Amino acid sequence: MKRAIFPGSFDPITLGHFDIIARGVTLFDELIIAIGVNADKKYMFTLEERKNFIEECFKDNPKIKVVTYEGLTVDFCQKNNVDFILRGLRNPADFEFEKAIAHTNRDLAPIETVFLLTAASTSYISSSIVRDVIRNNGDYTKLVPKPVRVK
């Protein structure tokens, strides 16, 4: 069984994330959306809200599982028999950053990283941009899946 994780903070999940997940799930038998918990990071949405957003987006896809985790991604992979990490690339800066992480992960454990390029239509979207639009009362709904709504 080919299992992969797509790790991130997903604060919130964007249409870019959605695109990578929808395309990535076709490559694996199971795709685990793994929401990393970082105590030093200040989030706009609670962990429960972020998990609910993602679960609602993919509720009809039995190949997708949503979990939370703390610690190193490769440790999570080893504890859960996951051989692949899925990552999306929007631009050359993402590639350089993700390449360094992928090399480090491979040094730590026998885990392969699989990169998918984001769709051109979503390549400009980031969670930080979405949060800024929300903070400034802009129309963020064009940037996120339907389940992501501010109360």
Side-chain angles (χ1 to χ4, degrees), residues 76-111:
F76 175 88
C77 290
Q78 290 186 303
K79 288 175 191 164
N80 293 279
N81 298 315
V82 175
D83 294 320
F84 301 95
I85 298 172
L86 177 65
R87 298 300 294 155
L89 300 174
R90 294 172 296 183
N91 54 47
D94 277 359
F95 173 73
E96 289 301 325
F97 179 73
E98 294 291 344
K99 179 177 77 166
I101 293 171
H103 285 311
T104 302
N105 286 340
R106 201 168 334 118
D107 277 349
L108 297 173
I111 307 293

Side-chain angles (χ1 to χ4, degrees), residues 5-105:
I5 70 161
F6 184 48
S9 59
F10 305 103
D11 187 35
I13 185 173
T14 69
L15 289 177
H17 293 130
F18 187 94
D19 171 63
I20 295 296
I21 294 165
R23 291 172 32 230
V25 74
T26 66
L27 304 173
F28 303 99
D29 299 309
E30 181 179 59
L31 182 58
I32 301 166
I33 313 307
I35 306 169
V37 177
N38 181 343
D40 296 331
K41 202 169 180 186
K42 198 151 180 139
Y43 298 104
M44 176 174 274
F45 296 95
T46 67
L47 183 59
E48 185 177 303
E49 287 173 316
R50 291 179 279 145
K51 190 170 190 249
N52 287 339
F53 292 154
I54 299 167
E55 287 174 338
E56 187 61 26
C57 287
F58 299 102
K59 66 182 177 193
D60 296 327
N61 192 326
K63 289 175 61 176
I64 295 176
K65 180 176 164 186
V66 184
V67 301
T68 63
Y69 77 104
E70 293 184 48
L72 293 176
T73 301
V74 290
D75 289 344
F76 175 88
C77 290
Q78 290 186 303
K79 288 175 191 164
N80 293 279
N81 298 315
V82 175
D83 294 320
F84 301 95
I85 298 172
L86 177 65
R87 298 300 294 155
L89 300 174
R90 294 172 296 183
N91 54 47
D94 277 359
F95 173 73
E96 289 301 325
F97 179 73
E98 294 291 344
K99 179 177 77 166
I101 293 171
H103 285 311
T104 302
N105 286 340

